[in-house]
């Protein structure tokens, strides 16, 4: 379906930083020159907004655009944010169980829903966020579908790229958050596993702040919620099985309770002002370097509270914990 050239505009509630403006301009150049691009931007740096200029240009040229992301909850949040900025265009929204405006010029969808567009009705510009996250990471089927849908060029975004992820494109690095504070550095603490829940209880009693406690399994969520509830700690739990996750997050923001126990389902896409995190059994295999960096990225995202506590408890030495801390320190030292 051909789309006519038009005059589409977007607006932001804030001004881009100098580094954001620079990368935004470079991404537009890449698109005009038909070059793929990668943006390695730390958690909370505002990487979504730096692609808006290129999206606007493509739409005004009559090109078709897709912004895709792995998880359904993140797609819904992204749709709301982009709809608020791009007022004068109909935007399609597609994820499991929802298909709105599938023929629209601008589509926001989960990675799995790309199968709808792989047979010749693809996109001139594809923007893919969190490309190193499940289920896109190491999924040859989804990667092949993505390639068939991309009729032009793509921009891939992540806070946790590694060298092997960068192929056939220019890399741009944004190592500072938009408020220009360094990334908070996690503190790793060695304790036997059977003592870790008691250490966490002590921390919660000593520091009555908003906390997200990340645990490795569904059973850990249930056990921890019971453990803390029995000790009169206001607590809720979420996992992939939770149906009202967004409501619980809103209740946490509104101080209805102050401790949320979660699996890695909340490792990405969560912004809560003045929140702090604890990782229980941080040496578990599910907590690899990328996951730990994303978890640490939940802290200090807002300029009014740019710092905070990140505590990783472990019972034996973990290379992934060490790599996470070293990577964050390296990013803070970089001059970009």
């Amino acid at each position: 379906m051909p789309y006519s050239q038009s005059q589409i505009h977007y607006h932001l509630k804030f001004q881009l930083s100098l580094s954001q403006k620079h990368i935004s301009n470079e991404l537009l150049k890449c698109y005009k020159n038909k070059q793929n691009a990668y943006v390695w931007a730390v958690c909370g740096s505002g990487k979504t907004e730096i692609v808006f200029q290129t999206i606007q240009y493509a739409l005004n040229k009559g090109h078709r655009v897709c912004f895709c992301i792995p998880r359904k909850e993140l797609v819904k949040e992204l749709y709301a944010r982009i709809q608020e900025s791009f007022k004068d265009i109909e935007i399609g929204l597609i994820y499991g169980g929802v298909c709105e405006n599938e023929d629209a010029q601008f589509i926001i969808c989960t990675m799995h829903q790309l199968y709808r567009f792989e047979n010749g009705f693809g996109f001139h510009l594809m923007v893919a966020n969190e490309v190193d996250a499940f289920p896109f990471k190491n999924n040859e089927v989804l990667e092949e579908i993505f390639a068939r849908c991309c009729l032009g060029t793509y921009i891939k975004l992540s806070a946790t790229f590694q060298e092997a992820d960068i192929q056939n494109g220019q890399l741009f690095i944004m190592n500072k958050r938009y408020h220009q504070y360094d990334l908070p550095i996690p503190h790793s603490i060695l304790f036997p596993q059977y003592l870790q829940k008691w250490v966490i209880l002590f921390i919660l009693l000593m520091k009555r702040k908003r906390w997200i406690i990340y645990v490795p399994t569904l059973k850990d969520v249930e056990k921890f919620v019971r453990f803390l509830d029995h000790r009169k700690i206001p607590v809720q739990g979420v996992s992939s099985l939770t149906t009202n996750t967004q409501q619980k997050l809103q209740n946490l923001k509104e101080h209805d309770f102050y401790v949320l126990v979660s699996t890695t389902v909340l490792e990405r896409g969560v912004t809560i002002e003045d929140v702090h995190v604890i990782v229980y059994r941080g040496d578990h295999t599910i907590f690899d370097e990328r996951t730990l960096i994303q978890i640490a990225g939940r802290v200090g995202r807002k300029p009014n509270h740019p710092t905070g506590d990140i505590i990783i408890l472990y019972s034996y030495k973990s290379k992934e914990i060490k790599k996470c801390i070293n990577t964050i320190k390296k990013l803070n030292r970089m001059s970009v």
Side-chain angles (χ1 to χ4, degrees):
M1 179 187 298
Y3 298 95
S4 59
Q5 296 190 20
S6 54
Q7 288 300 314
I8 294 167
H9 304 280
Y10 71 90
H11 72 279
L12 297 174
K13 293 182 178 180
F14 58 91
Q15 287 189 337
L16 296 181
S17 66
L18 291 178
S19 59
Q20 285 177 307
K21 287 180 182 177
H22 171 72
I23 294 177
S24 175
N25 291 334
E26 291 299 313
L27 292 176
L28 179 58
K29 289 179 186 177
C30 284
Y31 186 69
K32 290 179 177 179
N33 294 328
K34 299 181 179 180
Q35 292 179 302
N36 298 323
Y38 296 81
V39 179
W40 180 11
V42 299
C43 297
S45 60
K47 60 181 178 292
T48 301
E49 288 75 15
I50 64 175
V51 300
F52 283 7
Q53 182 180 196
T54 304
I55 290 173
Q56 175 187 257
Y57 175 85
L59 293 174
N60 284 331
K61 285 292 184 181
H63 298 171
R64 200 168 194 223
V65 177
C66 176
F67 201 132
C68 55
I69 198 166
R71 297 182 182 177
K72 178 175 68 175
E73 291 299 326
L74 301 186
V75 165
K76 291 190 285 187
E77 180 185 336
L78 176 67
Y79 176 75
R81 288 171 62 187
I82 290 182
Q83 198 175 42
E84 190 174 0
S85 294
F86 287 83
K87 296 284 190 182
D88 45 4
I89 184 172
E90 187 175 69
I91 303 174
L93 173 65
I94 307 174
Y95 58 86
V98 173
C99 183
E100 300 176 1
N101 302 320
E102 185 177 355
D103 295 331
Q105 183 184 2
F106 187 7
I107 296 289
I108 298 174
C109 67
T110 55
M111 304 293 197
H112 278 109
Q113 297 299 323
L114 289 174
Y115 78 88
R116 299 171 180 269
F117 308 103
E118 61 179 322
N119 296 317
F121 191 41
F123 303 93
H124 302 88
L125 171 63
M126 294 190 70
V127 181
N129 198 3
E130 309 291 6
V131 291
D132 56 347
F134 176 85
F136 191 76
K137 179 185 176 185
N138 298 327
N139 189 319
E140 294 182 2
V141 173
L142 287 181
E143 289 178 357
E144 181 62 30
I145 292 174
F146 180 91
R148 288 200 293 266
C149 289
C150 188
L151 307 178
T153 60
Y154 61 72
I155 301 172
K156 292 184 176 182
L157 312 168
S158 179
T160 50
F161 275 133
Q162 296 177 353
E163 285 187 23
D165 300 321
I166 313 301
Q167 301 175 2
N168 303 320
Q170 290 200 41
L171 172 64
F172 302 98
I173 299 175
M174 192 156 57
N175 71 313
K176 291 288 185 185
R177 290 175 159 176
Y178 71 94
H179 53 52
Q180 299 302 302
Y181 282 83
D182 283 348
L183 298 168
I185 298 172
H187 299 282
S188 59
I189 305 174
L190 174 65
F191 271 103
Q193 185 177 314
Y194 73 92
L195 286 178
Q196 289 183 19
K197 64 181 181 180
W198 296 101
V199 173
I200 292 173
L201 177 62
F202 176 78
I203 293 171
L204 299 181
L205 292 173
M206 291 296 293
K207 298 185 176 184
R208 293 186 66 86
K209 305 175 179 179
R210 275 184 294 199
W211 294 92
I212 301 178
I213 301 173
Y214 288 90
V215 299
T217 70
L218 291 169
K219 288 183 178 180
D220 287 323
V221 173
E222 298 167 2
K223 290 178 181 177
F224 236 103
V225 169
R226 285 198 303 269
F227 173 75
L228 295 177
D229 187 55
H230 288 166
R231 286 149 185 87
K232 309 302 181 184
I233 301 293
V235 61
Q236 295 286 326
V238 297
S239 71
S240 59
L241 302 180
T242 305
T243 57
N244 60 339
T245 297
Q246 292 303 315
Q247 184 59 55
K248 289 187 177 183
L249 287 172
Q250 186 61 37
N251 292 344
L252 181 64
K253 293 177 182 179
E254 294 173 357
H255 300 275
D256 290 346
F257 59 95
Y258 76 93
V259 179
L260 184 64
V261 181
S262 174
T263 60
T264 56
V265 71
L266 293 184
E267 74 178 65
R268 300 166 186 259
V270 176
T271 298
I272 298 175
E273 189 166 11
D274 195 24
V275 75
H276 310 265
V277 303
I278 301 172
V279 181
Y280 168 68
R281 296 173 61 197
D283 42 30
H284 191 282
T285 54
I286 199 169
F287 294 123
D288 60 13
E289 177 192 1
R290 298 190 201 221
T291 299
L292 290 171
I293 288 174
Q294 289 286 353
I295 288 172
R298 301 312 100 206
V299 176
R301 297 173 71 89
K302 294 291 187 178
N304 290 338
H305 299 93
T307 62
D309 293 322
I310 305 163
I311 300 169
I312 304 174
L313 300 175
Y314 67 101
S315 56
Y316 66 89
K317 290 184 178 179
S318 164
K319 291 182 180 178
E320 300 303 312
I321 295 174
K322 185 175 181 180
K323 286 193 291 185
C324 162
I325 294 171
N326 287 342
T327 297
I328 292 175
K329 288 180 177 179
K330 179 182 177 181
L331 287 167
N332 285 341
R333 291 195 301 266
M334 287 176 64
S335 176
V336 176

